[in-house]
């Protein structure tokens, strides 16, 4: 079965042509095309770029567009319950865009008429891992991704769980500190405001410039070690703090303990409500911070009621960036 999976972020649209053979094995990826959409974010233009990507994919493999059996789209935004309208996608600047009809028309213009389904990118991710990745064999999964922000996805009784309005899984905006740090969502005290990659970078960079974390100096990239901290204009990334924390550096150790606690607490709270068999972790920040990830994994069980903690498995995703395109294509197949 030939499918196209799309991943649409704020900067690029990526499409993969893949062939699913075994129902439980990752597909064979036949071709991949990525195009920049940063300067052309109008919905009709994004749809045109996606139709162009689809055309290039089938041309590369010498496939007829009519052979494509499903096309799925994971998009960094919230969908309405029907999946026809993107209610909000801050990275694209979209509000209430009926994107499905726009995309279907654009694809049809290029000769593609498969069923199309649009889902939240993290929902696509968890579905990909559930069908052909690290969550295979589980029926109840709580997935938590820490990247620029913090997001999640839920599988309940073998089905993607969207909740009443299709917005289940927003674990990043669960509150962990009353009246705490301001979050991008406009509220305060969300776990994302402490653990999201953007916030971690801001905090690490500000603290260094203010001289509060000079112990990080030996862990900075070589070319930055001699820069006077007050004039540091590079961004300090979480992997720097991760190396320092692993070596016991005091500032990083303290910060990592604190944020690991907050994230573990938010995940455990989600797990207490859902009773998943698997907690699946992923996202760019966790992938690049072994020490932080280790602490989070270690602490989650201590925040879960003992009777429920014993049979919860905690595991990392295994498909990386491909989970979303696989999941989107599989969801479109129905
Ligand atoms: Zn928030």
């Amino acid at each position: 079965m030939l499918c196209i999976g799309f991943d649409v972020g704020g900067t690029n649209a990526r499409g993969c042509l893949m062939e699913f053979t075994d129902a439980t094995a990752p597909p064979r990826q036949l071709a991949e095309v990525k195009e920049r959409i940063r300067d052309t974010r109008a919905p009709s233009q994004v749809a045109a770029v996606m139709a162009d990507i689809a055309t290039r994919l089938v041309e590369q493999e010498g496939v007829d567009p009519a052979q494509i059996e499903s096309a799925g789209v994971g998009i960094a935004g919230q969908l309405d319950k029907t999946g026809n309208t993107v209610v909000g996608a801050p990275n694209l600047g979209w509000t209430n865009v009926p994107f499905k009809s726009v995309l279907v028309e654009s694809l049809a213009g290029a000769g593609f008429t498969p069923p199309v389904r649009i889902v939240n990118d993290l929902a696509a991710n968890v579905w990909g891992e559930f069908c052909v990745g690290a969550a295979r064999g589980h029926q109840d999964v709580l997935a938590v991704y820490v990247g620029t922000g913090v997001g999640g996805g839920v599988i309940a009784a073998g089905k993607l769980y969207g909740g009443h309005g299709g917005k289940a899984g927003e674990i990043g905006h669960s509150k962990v500190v009353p009246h705490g740090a301001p979050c991008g969502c406009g509220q305060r005290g969300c776990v994302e405001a402490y653990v999201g990659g953007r916030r971690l970078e801001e905090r690490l960079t500000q603290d260094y410039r203010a001289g509060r974390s000079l112990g990080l100096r030996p862990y900075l990239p070589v070319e930055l070690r001699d820069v006077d901290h007050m004039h540091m204009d590079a961004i300090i990334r979480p992997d720097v703090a991760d190396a320092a924390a692993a070596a016991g550096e005091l500032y990083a150790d303290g910060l990592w303990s604190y944020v690991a606690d907050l994230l573990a607490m938010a995940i455990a709270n989600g797990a207490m409500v859902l009773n998943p068999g698997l907690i699946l972790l992923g996202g760019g920040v966790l992938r690049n911070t072994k020490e932080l990830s280790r602490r989070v994994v270690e602490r989650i069980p201590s925040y879960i009621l003992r009777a429920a903690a014993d049979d919860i498995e905690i595991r990392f995703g295994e498909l990386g960036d491909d989970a979303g395109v696989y999941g989107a294509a599989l969801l479109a197949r129905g």
Side-chain angles (χ1 to χ4, degrees), residues 150 170-175 181-193:
V150 179
E170 289 285 358
I171 196 164
H173 302 285
S174 56
K175 308 297 178 277
C183 179
C185 70
Q187 298 191 312
R188 286 179 170 273
C190 302
V191 69
E192 176 173 307

Side-chain angles (χ1 to χ4, degrees), residues 58 63-69 110-114:
V58 294
V63 169
D64 190 283
Q67 284 175 269
I68 302 300
E69 288 182 55
F112 296 92
T113 52

Side-chain angles (χ1 to χ4, degrees), residues 81-124:
K81 204 149 190 187
T82 63
N84 295 332
T85 298
V86 178
V87 179
N91 294 333
L92 291 160
W94 293 4
T95 310
N96 291 322
V97 172
F99 189 58
K100 185 168 164 181
S101 57
V102 178
L103 179 61
V104 165
E105 195 180 307
S106 214
L107 287 173
F112 296 92
T113 52
V116 172
R117 187 158 171 196
I118 305 173
V119 293
N120 169 268
D121 57 345
L122 298 183

Side-chain angles (χ1 to χ4, degrees), residues 48-318:
V49 166
M50 292 167 73
D52 180 53
I53 288 175
T55 302
R56 287 171 58 194
L57 286 171
V58 294
E59 279 174 4
Q60 276 182 30
E61 285 302 307
V63 169
D64 190 283
Q67 284 175 269
I68 302 300
E69 288 182 55
S70 74
V73 184
I75 196 161
Q78 270 88 43
L79 279 295
D80 73 344
K81 204 149 190 187
T82 63
N84 295 332
T85 298
V86 178
V87 179
N91 294 333
L92 291 160
W94 293 4
T95 310
N96 291 322
V97 172
F99 189 58
K100 185 168 164 181
S101 57
V102 178
L103 179 61
V104 165
E105 195 180 307
S106 214
L107 287 173
F112 296 92
T113 52
V116 172
R117 187 158 171 196
I118 305 173
V119 293
N120 169 268
D121 57 345
L122 298 183
N125 261 272
V126 64
W127 192 252
E129 295 283 1
F130 170 71
C131 294
V132 295
R136 256 173 312 189
H138 280 277
Q139 292 297 298
D140 301 282
V141 182
L142 169 62
V144 180
Y145 296 95
V146 183
T148 309
V150 179
V154 177
I155 291 187
K159 293 204 167 76
L160 196 58
Y161 179 74
H164 170 68
K167 298 170 193 73
E170 289 285 358
I171 196 164
H173 302 285
S174 56
K175 308 297 178 277
V176 287
V177 177
H179 317 295
C183 179
C185 70
Q187 298 191 312
R188 286 179 170 273
C190 302
V191 69
E192 176 173 307
Y194 296 87
V195 195
R198 185 171 295 148
R199 180 60 197 136
L200 282 177
E201 287 178 359
E202 279 170 10
R203 181 164 189 170
L204 290 167
T205 307
Q206 282 165 7
D207 282 354
Y208 191 78
R209 278 190 199 141
R212 287 190 287 268
S213 57
L214 298 181
L216 293 181
R217 193 182 290 277
Y219 304 94
L220 291 174
V222 179
E223 67 276 14
L224 297 178
R225 286 181 200 162
D226 293 331
V227 178
D228 179 69
H229 67 270
M230 285 183 293
H231 299 106
M232 169 68 79
D233 52 10
I235 288 167
I236 300 185
R237 303 194 190 282
D239 57 305
V240 169
D242 200 64
E249 191 279 327
L250 281 180
Y251 165 86
D253 179 58
L255 179 62
W256 257 207
S257 280
Y258 180 59
V259 297
D261 257 333
L262 295 181
L263 180 57
M265 226 183 270
I267 294 171
N269 289 344
M272 287 316 306
V273 175
L274 296 167
N275 186 215
L278 173 69
I279 293 171
L280 187 76
L281 301 175
V285 168
L286 288 183
R287 276 209 295 266
N288 291 313
T289 56
K290 279 209 170 72
E291 177 63 16
L292 178 62
S293 298
R294 186 187 69 75
R295 295 184 190 197
V296 171
V297 169
E298 188 181 278
R299 282 163 208 216
I300 292 169
S302 67
Y303 291 118
I304 295 177
L305 203 62
R306 219 162 276 163
D310 285 346
D311 61 351
I312 296 182
E313 198 181 337
I314 304 173
R315 206 189 285 173
F316 282 81
E318 62 187 39

